[in-house]
Amino acid sequence: MTNSLETNSASAAPTQHVLIVTAVDAEKEAVLRGLGDQAAGFDVIAAGVGPASAAAGTAAALAFASAAAGANALAQGSAAPTEPDAAQASAASSRPGPLAGTGLTPAYTLVVSAGIGGGFPGRADVGSLVVADAMVAADLGSQTPDGFLSVDELGFGSSRVAADTELAARLRHELQRAGLAVSGGTAVTVSTATGTAETAAELLRRVPDAAAEGMEGFGVATAAQQFGVPALELRAISNAVGPRDRDAWRIKDALDALQTASSILREVLTS
C-alpha cells in the first residue's frame, strides 16, 4: 500500500502522483481503505487538526517529496535536465513559494484535502459528500464596529483558493454516477467549529455559496498553491452546521462515505 512518502518519492513517478491530506488517523484509514490494493501514485497523511497544522503538514510533505525526487534524479545520473525537464523547472521557478528559484519541480500533480465535516442544511445533507469549487478561510480577517471584514477587504491577501475546476466537476459526476449524493459550492475553513445558529447564519452571510465546513481545507490548498500544485477538497458530511448536537452526528456514516468516495477518486485520477 502506497502511504510512505519516502518510498514513493524515490521510485519512478507515475503519471498521477497525488497527496491526500486528512486531519486525523480515522480519516486517513478510511481513505486508504477506499484506495485499496491499487493505491500506487497516492500518498495519504494525517497532518493534524486546524488550518495551521494542515498547511504545515502539507508543505512539509510537498517539500520532502520534491527534494527526494531531485536527489533520486541525481543518483540516477540525471544531473543535467533534459529539455522538457528544464522547461518544467523554469515554470516551477516562476511560481511563488518554496520552489521558486530552486530548479526543483513539484513531485505531486494534485493535493486533496479529505475528511469529514459539517454541511449547511439544504445544501449538503448529513451522509452526503461535497466536492468543493473553492476553499475559503471564513474567519480570516478582522472584527470592526460595522461587522466582519475579510482579509481580502482589508487588502492583506486572499482568503480564497480555487479548486481544480475540471477535476472537481469530473469527480462530482462520477460520484453521482455511483449513486452517491454530492454537492458543489464552497468549503469554508474555520479555526473554531460552528456551534450556534447565529454563527452558521454569519458564515452564510460571508460566503453565500458555502456548502461544507471543515478546519483544514484552506490550509492544505494554500500550501499546494505555494508549490504551484492544484488542489481539491472532499468532505463527507457528518453533521449539520449550526447548533452543536453530538447525538445527531453520524461520524461512522461519514467515514464510510469518505471511503467510498476515495475509491472513486482513484478511478477519476487514474483513468
Side-chain angles (χ1 to χ4, degrees):
M1 188 166 289
T2 311
N3 62 343
S4 166
L5 292 176
E6 186 170 6
T7 301
N8 279 356
S9 299
S11 61
T15 302
Q16 293 286 350
H17 197 184
V18 179
L19 175 65
I20 301 179
V21 183
T22 69
V24 298
D25 285 339
E27 294 166 328
K28 174 182 174 181
E29 290 160 5
V31 171
L32 288 171
R33 287 194 300 271
L35 292 175
D37 295 332
Q38 300 179 19
F42 291 85
D43 291 324
V44 187
I45 65 171
V49 175
S53 291
T58 303
L62 289 166
F64 178 86
S66 294
N72 184 59
L74 288 174
Q76 293 179 354
S78 302
T82 62
E83 195 167 313
D85 290 337
Q88 287 181 342
S90 174
S93 296
S94 68
R95 298 185 181 105
L99 292 190
T102 65
L104 294 174
T105 55
Y108 291 103
T109 54
L110 179 69
V111 177
V112 181
S113 175
I116 66 174
F120 286 87
R123 303 182 181 197
D125 295 333
V126 174
S128 71
L129 297 157
V130 171
V131 179
D133 296 303
M135 291 67 73
V136 170
D139 54 7
L140 182 60
S142 176
Q143 293 289 346
T144 78
D146 297 320
F148 177 82
L149 290 178
S150 70
V151 70
D152 311 68
E153 293 168 311
L154 292 168
F156 295 148
S158 178
S159 60
R160 181 184 183 90
V161 178
D164 184 301
T165 305
E166 181 181 350
L167 280 178
R170 283 176 56 199
L171 180 55
R172 281 195 295 268
H173 176 71
E174 292 303 322
L175 290 169
Q176 289 168 343
R177 284 188 60 196
L180 300 172
V182 58
S183 305
T186 293
V188 298
T189 300
V190 294
S191 295
T192 301
T194 297
T196 68
E198 292 77 13
T199 303
E202 172 64 14
L203 287 176
L204 286 173
R205 187 192 69 78
R206 297 178 193 174
V207 187
D209 67 341
E213 175 187 275
M215 300 178 74
E216 295 79 34
F218 179 78
V220 172
T222 297
Q225 185 180 59
Q226 287 289 303
F227 281 79
V229 181
L232 290 179
E233 182 166 0
L234 170 65
R235 288 282 157 191
I237 304 304
S238 60
N239 58 279
V241 178
R244 184 177 175 84
D245 181 7
R246 286 280 304 193
D247 292 337
W249 289 11
R250 288 166 47 192
I251 292 178
K252 182 183 183 303
D253 290 345
L255 289 172
D256 288 345
L258 180 62
Q259 176 180 334
T260 302
S262 296
S263 67
I264 295 170
L265 177 67
R266 181 191 67 211
E267 295 171 8
V268 169
L269 297 180
T270 58
S271 61

